[in-house]
Amino acid sequence: MSQVNAALRQSAALLLGYPDDGWPDLLDLVRTSLDALTGPCAAPLRRFCSATGGTPVLHLAARYVTTFDRSSRRTLHLSYYTDGDTPQRGASLAAWYERYRAHGWECPPDELPDHLPLVLEFAARCPEAGTELLYEHRGGLDQLRAALVEHGSPYAHVLEAVHATLPETARGHLPGPGPEGPRSGRDGW
């Protein structure tokens, strides 16, 4: 995997985190790192940064909760797309922990191992194993991306960028949101 993909995945991980008081500084950091990247893969992240840049943190945090925490169709927990809310999900999560440990990676104690920002950070730092994980969960990534497009959320741009980092054979069959980005929902989120 190229250093560009690692930078894109790390940026996506940061942008998919919960926006707190440090969000404006984080957004500036991501924008600065994107300035150094060439090629079309960074364009979706730039669109996300532009779409959210002037949004007050409190408003963005509320929209984040509405987008990701109140809809099972838009969850950031990838095992939900494969296992749903079943006993099998526990076994899947244990397998994620083991894969991380096999690569010297420790999951933070306050986060599940299938949380997409954590998976992207792992993929940025352990490219081969991380790409494999993302590839295995490309169906869930495609479902999330489609749900974000349908919801009119600028977070669809971030999933578009993640999608662009996967090998051709790993890419889903969903059409992209188009050059304008996701359709606008009632409130553009």
Side-chain angles (χ1 to χ4, degrees):
M1 181 182 79
S2 72
Q3 288 185 342
V4 171
N5 279 351
L8 288 169
R9 288 174 178 175
Q10 184 64 58
S11 295
L14 294 171
L15 295 174
L16 286 172
Y18 179 79
D20 58 16
D21 291 335
W23 175 258
D25 293 334
L26 183 128
L27 193 60
D28 287 343
L29 175 68
V30 169
R31 282 181 171 153
T32 300
S33 72
L34 292 175
D35 287 344
L37 300 179
T38 58
C41 291
L45 293 180
R46 287 188 184 100
R47 285 193 297 271
F48 174 83
C49 291
S50 293
T52 60
T55 307
V57 173
L58 196 57
H59 180 73
L60 188 59
R63 298 312 307 168
Y64 183 94
V65 169
T66 299
T67 300
F68 295 117
D69 296 344
R70 295 197 177 146
S71 171
S72 60
R73 291 188 64 230
R74 295 186 304 270
T75 182
L76 291 173
H77 293 279
L78 295 179
S79 68
Y80 190 83
Y81 296 101
T82 55
D83 301 318
D85 194 13
T86 66
Q88 175 58 36
R89 187 164 179 234
S92 293
L93 292 173
W96 284 73
Y97 282 118
E98 288 305 313
R99 287 176 90 168
Y100 287 155
R101 284 187 198 111
H103 295 280
W105 184 265
E106 286 295 321
C107 183
D110 61 339
E111 192 57 71
L112 291 174
D114 66 333
H115 192 241
L116 183 53
L118 181 65
V119 177
L120 289 167
E121 186 173 342
F122 175 71
R125 295 175 188 228
C126 300
E128 189 174 320
T131 298
E132 187 177 306
L133 263 177
L134 290 169
Y135 180 84
E136 289 172 13
H137 292 275
R138 70 190 179 280
L141 291 169
D142 288 342
Q143 287 177 43
L144 174 57
R145 181 172 163 228
L148 290 170
V149 167
E150 182 181 310
H151 189 59
S153 172
Y155 284 103
H157 297 306
V158 180
L159 269 289
E160 181 183 349
V162 170
H163 189 265
T165 69
L166 295 174
E168 267 308 311
T169 57
R171 294 191 183 165
H173 303 289
L174 296 174
E180 302 84 37
R183 295 184 314 235
S184 292
R186 279 194 325 258
D187 56 8
W189 286 88

